[in-house]
Amino acid sequence: MKNANPVPKATLQRYPVYLKALRKLQKNGVSKIMSKELSQFVDIEPTTIRRDFSFLGSLGKQGYGYDVNKLIEIFNSELGVDFDEKIILVGAGNLGKALLNYNKWDYVVGEITCAFDSDPAKVGSIFGIEVYSMDSLEEKMPEGCRIAILTISENVQKTVDRLIENGITGIVDFTHQHFQVPRGVVVKVVDVVSSIQELVFTTNSMDTNTTAEK
C-alpha cells in the first residue's frame, strides 16, 4: 500500500533519475539491487533512495534489496510512462537537430515522433524523423500527443497558443522568451546559461571554502 503522505517535489524530481538507471541495469541483466549499489549509479545517498522509495510502498526486503523489474513497473505506473509517449519538436534549427539526434532518451519517456518548422528548407527527414511545415500542424499532429519541445525564437506565444489548441498540455521550453499558458498546462524551462552560471558560482564557492580551510 502506498504512503498516504504527499510525495515531496524533490523526491518526484529524482524518480525519473532512478527509472533511467533501473532501465540500464535491466538492460545489463541485473535483476535485483541494494540501495547502496543503486547509490553508485545515481550519485544519491542510500538513505535518500530508501526514503524516496518508501513513498511508493514496501518495495524491498532487508538484506535482499529491490527487484529491478518490479521497481520499473511501479515507476512506469507512477510516472505515467509506457515508453511510447509521443513527443513533437517545434523548431528544427541547430538545437532542434541536436535533440532529434539524441532521440529516444534511453527509452525512458518515449520519443520524438515528428518535428515542425516554419522554414520550408528544413522540411524533410532529419535522422529518420519527419519534419513538417508549421502550416500542416493540425494535419500532422500525432494522435494523443501531449508534449511539445519548443526551440523556436519567433512567434513564440502564437505558436504556444496553437499547440495548446491542438491538445498539448506539457511544454519543454528552450526559447528563453516569456509566454503565458492557461491553468493545466505545464511548462518546464531549460536554461543552459543559468545552469552554467549556477555551476560557476558553486565551484567558485567550493574553491573559496577549500582555500579558507587550508
Side-chain angles (χ1 to χ4, degrees):
M1 183 176 180
K2 295 180 182 178
N3 195 315
N5 296 324
V7 182
K9 183 178 180 180
T11 295
L12 287 173
Q13 291 174 336
R14 286 190 290 268
Y15 280 169
V17 177
Y18 297 138
L19 179 55
K20 183 175 181 178
L22 289 166
R23 288 289 295 174
K24 288 183 177 179
L25 289 165
Q26 183 188 59
K27 187 177 180 180
N28 291 332
V30 177
S31 60
K32 68 175 183 177
I33 192 166
M34 307 288 287
S35 58
K36 185 176 181 180
E37 296 169 325
L38 182 58
S39 173
Q40 297 173 359
F41 283 91
V42 296
D43 195 26
I44 298 171
E45 289 295 322
T47 52
T48 301
I49 292 174
R50 290 193 292 271
R51 185 172 65 249
D52 288 347
F53 286 7
S54 70
F55 287 97
L56 301 176
S58 181
L59 305 181
K61 297 179 181 179
Q62 186 72 29
Y64 174 83
Y66 298 99
D67 184 302
V68 171
N69 292 334
K70 181 181 178 182
L71 278 177
I72 291 173
E73 182 180 340
I74 291 172
F75 276 124
N76 285 347
S77 174
E78 287 297 313
L79 299 173
V81 176
D82 57 9
F83 301 106
D84 65 353
E85 185 76 36
K86 297 172 182 176
I87 305 168
I88 63 168
L89 172 72
V90 181
N94 291 334
L95 176 56
K97 288 179 181 178
L99 293 171
L100 290 175
N101 189 34
Y102 185 69
N103 199 18
K104 294 188 184 299
W105 321 100
D106 284 331
Y107 300 93
V108 172
V109 295
E111 62 180 331
I112 299 172
T113 57
C114 66
F116 297 89
D117 200 285
S118 59
D119 183 357
K122 293 186 173 68
V123 173
S125 179
I126 299 178
F127 301 116
I129 301 169
E130 287 299 317
V131 179
Y132 301 111
S133 167
M134 280 298 297
D135 293 337
S136 62
L137 178 68
E138 287 77 10
E139 177 188 353
K140 298 295 185 180
M141 173 77 79
E143 184 177 354
C145 178
R146 303 175 298 170
I147 298 174
I149 302 174
L150 209 56
T151 65
I152 59 176
S153 58
E154 298 179 354
N155 299 319
V156 176
Q157 184 66 64
K158 181 179 179 181
T159 301
V160 168
D161 293 342
R162 191 173 169 194
L163 289 170
I164 294 170
E165 289 173 1
N166 283 276
I168 293 298
T169 56
I171 297 173
V172 181
D173 173 30
F174 285 90
T175 68
H176 304 296
Q177 294 191 27
H178 174 73
F179 58 82
Q180 294 179 308
V181 297
R183 186 181 299 274
V185 176
V186 179
V187 178
K188 183 69 174 178
V189 178
V190 181
D191 190 339
V192 177
V193 173
S194 293
S195 297
I196 294 173
Q197 289 174 333
E198 183 180 343
L199 265 178
V200 170
F201 178 79
T202 303
T203 52
N204 285 343
S205 298
M206 291 172 61
D207 290 342
T208 301
N209 291 337
T210 302
T211 302
E213 291 172 0
K214 290 182 178 179

